Amino acid sequence: MSTGIFPKLSSSYILSFQFSSWYTIFANVSIKSTIIRPLSQEFRDYLDADGVFIPEGSEDVPTKSSIFDDGEGPDDISDEDETPEGQHFAFPDLDAKIRESIQEYGAVFPKLNFSSPKDASWILPASSPLKCTSPAEVYLLLKSSDFITHDTSPESAFSGCDLPETYDLELVLRKWYPIDRSRELRCFVRHNILIGISQRDTNYYDFYNEVNIRDTILASITAFWESKIRPKWEISDYTFDILLTRDLVRGHILDFNPYAPQTDALLFTYDELHDIFLERIAGDKKSATLKIIDSKTHPAAVSNMPAYQHNMMPFEALNISNGRNIEEFSNAWKEGIRESMNG
């Protein structure tokens, strides 16, 4: 048994964590999802293209963008440059598949092989983050996200290991519904031993301070892992994200990630997890360690600070804001959005 801090990385190991690799095994304990793969090279080119613009035909009905609050929208702009020069994309077959999933689920939230565009959730209404009801909204989220560039570039997705012979980009459409982030937890497994459980959302929730609640969470996740994951999952080193039910006794798998530096250890460090692992295999510790934010002054607490706030204002906004008052900045920013979305 290797007792290094991390397992050896390889492309086959990383590919085990792309959505299509694990979802078919755990579909009955996860959120309903549709996988569309492989995606065309043209779609990759669209994601890599400069600017934020929507492929032709992807909007269900012509509507004015919520970005514009002065009554003027894309429909009021000249047709001369609908997309950046030389970049015209249309995906009628993909549009149709997305619409089928939306019709089946009511609404979807998208992701690619490994990453979701959570950093771009600000671009859709805050009351329903990531909720997409048209292909255009799916594309808008993906195009506005920095996170998904991890998946579009094999060099990023397989950083630290060999590149695979083939790597097909996939679009995942998951059934959207509002999620209580306070019940999301990340769990760490090393050599088939559950060693750590961390609160995912870095806000303070007072219910976590109740001892019986913490005991219930630890017992529920341990039982879920022992009955639903360990017997079916051939990988011995991994993390998984789980959403507990309101009564905290059952759960749904949200995602799997490699046990590797690129996976956020959240309230742990990987050195701490390694020490816990050594205690577990020595028999000095009988159960996983649960870490939560136990006060508003906890160093990791963000205290109502928006998640991924550093992604909410694109770098270009900093450039155009220099020397302008709020009204001037607002007008300049709208013009910049118009240019990027409509040529």
Side-chain angles (χ1 to χ4, degrees):
M1 175 189 294
S2 171
T3 57
I5 293 181
F6 298 108
K8 182 179 179 181
L9 296 184
S10 66
S11 59
S12 59
Y13 173 71
I14 298 298
L15 284 171
S16 300
F17 298 96
Q18 68 177 349
F19 191 87
S20 59
S21 296
W22 66 260
Y23 179 71
T24 53
I25 304 171
F26 298 105
N28 64 326
V29 287
S30 188
I31 298 170
K32 290 182 179 180
S33 304
T34 298
I35 303 167
I36 303 172
R37 63 171 292 166
L39 299 176
S40 66
Q41 181 60 48
E42 184 184 15
F43 189 73
R44 284 180 181 247
D45 294 341
Y46 164 71
L47 293 179
D48 290 337
D50 292 335
V52 178
F53 56 95
I54 296 171
E56 298 170 5
S58 62
E59 292 184 280
D60 289 342
V61 293
T63 58
K64 294 179 180 179
S65 171
S66 60
I67 294 172
F68 306 100
D69 58 7
D70 58 2
E72 184 182 21
D75 293 339
D76 302 305
I77 301 172
S78 169
D79 295 340
E80 291 179 4
D81 296 303
E82 294 183 355
T83 60
E85 184 178 355
Q87 299 179 13
H88 296 276
F89 295 92
F91 308 107
D93 292 340
L94 184 56
D95 292 349
K97 292 176 182 177
I98 294 173
R99 289 188 175 100
E100 286 177 9
S101 292
I102 290 171
Q103 184 175 9
E104 178 182 357
Y105 299 141
V108 299
F109 66 95
K111 66 172 295 178
L112 299 183
N113 304 50
F114 305 101
S115 308
S116 66
K118 292 184 292 185
D119 59 322
S121 61
W122 60 273
I123 209 163
L124 294 179
S127 59
S128 51
L130 302 178
K131 181 180 181 180
C132 297
T133 56
S134 72
E137 290 177 338
V138 170
Y139 302 143
L140 182 61
L141 273 178
L142 296 176
K143 281 291 289 177
S144 303
S145 172
D146 291 330
F147 285 6
I148 62 100
T149 59
H150 167 274
D151 296 21
T152 58
S153 167
E155 289 76 17
S156 295
F158 301 94
S159 176
C161 61
D162 55 306
L163 294 179
E165 292 184 8
T166 59
Y167 172 57
D168 292 327
L169 200 63
E170 60 193 35
L171 174 62
V172 179
L173 303 172
R174 313 207 72 184
K175 181 177 181 178
W176 186 91
Y177 62 91
I179 288 178
D180 182 351
R181 296 200 64 207
S182 71
R183 293 185 272 113
E184 287 185 74
L185 297 109
R186 174 162 293 174
C187 309
F188 300 84
V189 178
R190 187 78 169 101
H191 280 298
N192 273 326
I193 301 172
L194 180 63
I195 57 175
I197 302 169
S198 171
Q199 177 183 334
R200 280 192 73 193
D201 182 36
T202 50
N203 279 289
Y204 168 70
Y205 299 101
D206 57 4
F207 74 88
Y208 273 122
N209 281 325
E210 298 179 29
V211 175
N212 63 317
I213 293 292
R214 295 201 300 270
D215 289 345
T216 297
I217 290 172
L218 181 58
S220 297
I221 290 179
T222 301
F224 182 93
W225 173 72
E226 290 178 342
S227 63
K228 305 295 185 182
I229 297 179
R230 186 168 61 175
K232 296 181 178 180
W233 192 232
E234 296 181 356
I235 308 299
S236 60
D237 301 290
Y238 56 94
T239 76
F240 66 94
D241 296 334
I242 187 171
L243 173 68
L244 291 176
T245 53
R246 289 185 180 88
D247 57 10
L248 303 178
V249 298
R250 295 177 303 279
H252 296 88
I253 296 171
L254 296 176
D255 208 358
F256 282 91
N257 287 291
Y259 193 99
Q262 58 262 43
T263 300
D264 193 343
L266 298 176
L267 300 181
F268 291 99
T269 67
Y270 278 105
D271 286 334
E272 286 180 289
L273 288 167
H274 186 61
D275 290 340
I276 296 169
F277 167 63
L278 295 178
E279 289 180 314
R280 293 281 274 130
I281 61 176
D284 298 330
K285 190 172 181 58
K286 303 301 181 184
S287 63
T289 297
L290 172 65
K291 278 204 171 189
I292 51 94
I293 292 176
D294 56 8
S295 74
K296 294 180 180 179
T297 59
H298 190 287
V302 297
S303 184
N304 299 320
M305 192 180 298
Y308 318 118
Q309 62 170 348
H310 57 288
N311 296 87
M312 290 184 174
M313 187 63 68
F315 181 75
E316 290 82 354
L318 302 180
N319 292 333
I320 67 174
S321 67
N322 187 33
R324 290 183 166 93
N325 62 32
I326 291 177
E327 182 178 359
E328 291 170 341
F329 167 73
S330 176
N331 291 334
W333 180 235
K334 289 176 185 176
E335 182 62 29
I337 289 290
R338 276 194 285 266
E339 290 176 358
S340 65
M341 291 184 68
N342 298 278

